[in-house]
Amino acid sequence: MIIAQISDTHLTLDTPDADQRRRDFALTIADLNALDPRPDVIVHTGDVAHNGRKDEYSEAAAILGKARAPIYLLAGNRDGRANLHAAFAADGYLRSSDFLDYAIDDYPVRLIALDTLGPGNRGDFCAERARRLTDLIEGNTRKPIAVFTHHPPFEVLVGPDRLHFETAEALWRLRGALQQSGRVVGIFSGHVHRAAEGYVGNIPASVVQCIATTLRKGDYPPPMKRRAVYHIHRFDPAWGFSTETRIVAAAALPQPVLEAPVVLARSSRTATGTQQY
Ligand SMILES: [Fe+2]
């Protein structure tokens, strides 16, 4: 089974880099369509839109509509639950707009997507969501489970922010719920805009870079500045998940001249205090 994970497209319609964000997103879908073998499924781990607006989701839907594999979306802190739910409810997997969590049973690995939205930039995971996660996990006890979250359920030791949840209590509530069954074999997240790896107990966990290259953190050589990055997770019943980092093919489209894109990338190395993702 092959799962493609993309994240943090932060689609906007009216920022100076709006065209670049749209281009990064569209080229990523084109790159996924060109893979051989193609992924069985694509999971977007949140921050689909930058302001959670209806017109941003309309644009996102037009881009996602070109994908040749089924796509499942998570909500990130920049998304709006109600507008995201309204834009993609017809796809059938979003149960309600209260919490955008769900399970997909169509594959050898069960996919569980979580809603970790908090009141602001950081994540939250209340007792109600822990109960819902336990229900999702117990809904099918025959398959291994891959869990997708926007906020990573481990402390990320690179960058100024280690803890991406409102409270340590919320983080540990989520970590506890993930470990209860012993059947979660991989956890895949976004939000941090740079790659990271960690563990939840003995479950391997990872963060994928953001698709929006103007928002990416960390240093990239000049030829990679406008090349989006995503992850391919291949599952083998004996070996578990193996993850490949894919660099999106260079654009055939003309590249816009953006103001100070390098400053955006470098500022993340030296900034202190709370960052916006
Ligand atoms: Fe983000």
Side-chain angles (χ1 to χ4, degrees):
M1 180 182 181
I2 302 176
I3 303 171
Q5 182 196 5
I6 65 176
S7 200
D8 294 87
T9 43
H10 287 262
L11 211 60
T12 53
L13 303 180
D14 45 19
T15 58
D17 64 345
D19 286 346
Q20 183 63 47
R21 295 193 201 185
R22 193 181 296 114
R23 185 177 290 107
D24 290 335
F25 199 172
L27 286 171
T28 299
I29 298 301
D31 197 86
L32 287 162
N33 287 342
L35 291 179
D36 184 13
R38 278 194 203 137
D40 297 293
V41 61
I42 303 167
V43 181
H44 187 313
T45 43
D47 281 357
V48 177
H50 193 67
N51 303 294
R53 284 171 16 191
K54 289 180 181 176
D55 52 1
E56 293 172 338
Y57 291 122
S58 295
E59 185 72 24
I63 294 171
L64 290 167
K66 300 243 186 325
R68 293 177 185 157
I71 296 187
Y72 297 97
L73 305 178
L74 276 71
N77 49 290
R78 287 285 185 172
D79 288 308
R81 280 194 185 106
N83 284 345
L84 191 154
H85 181 267
F88 297 98
D91 293 345
Y93 60 90
L94 296 170
R95 300 188 291 171
S96 75
S97 58
D98 296 342
F99 292 117
L100 301 181
D101 53 4
Y102 53 89
I104 304 298
D105 274 318
D106 300 341
Y107 306 100
V109 177
R110 195 150 193 262
L111 312 179
I112 292 181
L114 299 184
D115 180 327
T116 56
L117 269 59
N121 191 45
R122 293 173 190 267
D124 195 7
F125 203 70
C126 56
E128 168 68 6
R129 278 177 276 189
R131 186 190 63 73
R132 292 168 67 101
L133 172 55
T134 299
D135 287 348
L136 287 171
I137 288 174
E138 294 309 315
N140 182 331
T141 58
R142 300 187 308 278
K143 294 179 182 179
I145 298 167
V147 172
F148 297 84
T149 72
H150 182 67
H151 300 86
F154 60 92
E155 289 202 19
V156 177
L157 304 186
V158 61
D161 298 325
R162 293 172 58 136
L163 180 64
H164 291 278
F165 278 77
E166 286 287 335
T167 63
E169 181 187 11
L171 171 66
W172 283 93
R173 182 182 291 118
L174 171 56
R175 289 172 63 90
L178 288 167
Q179 294 175 79
Q180 272 181 353
S181 71
R183 285 180 278 111
V184 177
V185 295
I187 301 166
F188 307 109
S189 306
H191 182 64
V192 186
H193 294 204
R194 70 169 89 217
E197 295 181 7
Y199 283 92
V200 176
N202 60 2
I203 309 167
S206 63
V207 174
V208 68
Q209 293 93 331
C210 57
I211 292 296
T213 56
T214 51
L215 301 177
R216 197 162 54 192
K217 300 185 187 302
D219 284 329
Y220 288 81
M224 283 240 355
K225 288 289 185 200
R226 296 292 164 256
R227 304 276 296 275
V229 176
Y230 64 89
H231 280 176
I232 293 288
H233 308 292
R234 292 181 175 84
F235 180 77
D236 179 275
W239 294 97
F241 276 106
S242 176
T243 295
E244 173 192 6
T245 299
R246 289 271 317 169
I247 302 166
V248 168
L253 302 169
Q255 295 290 295
V257 177
L258 296 172
E259 290 186 14
V262 176
V263 174
L264 279 173
R266 286 186 177 162
S267 64
S268 65
R269 299 180 61 218
T270 53
T272 56
T274 300
Q275 298 227 318
Q276 293 294 310
Y277 297 93

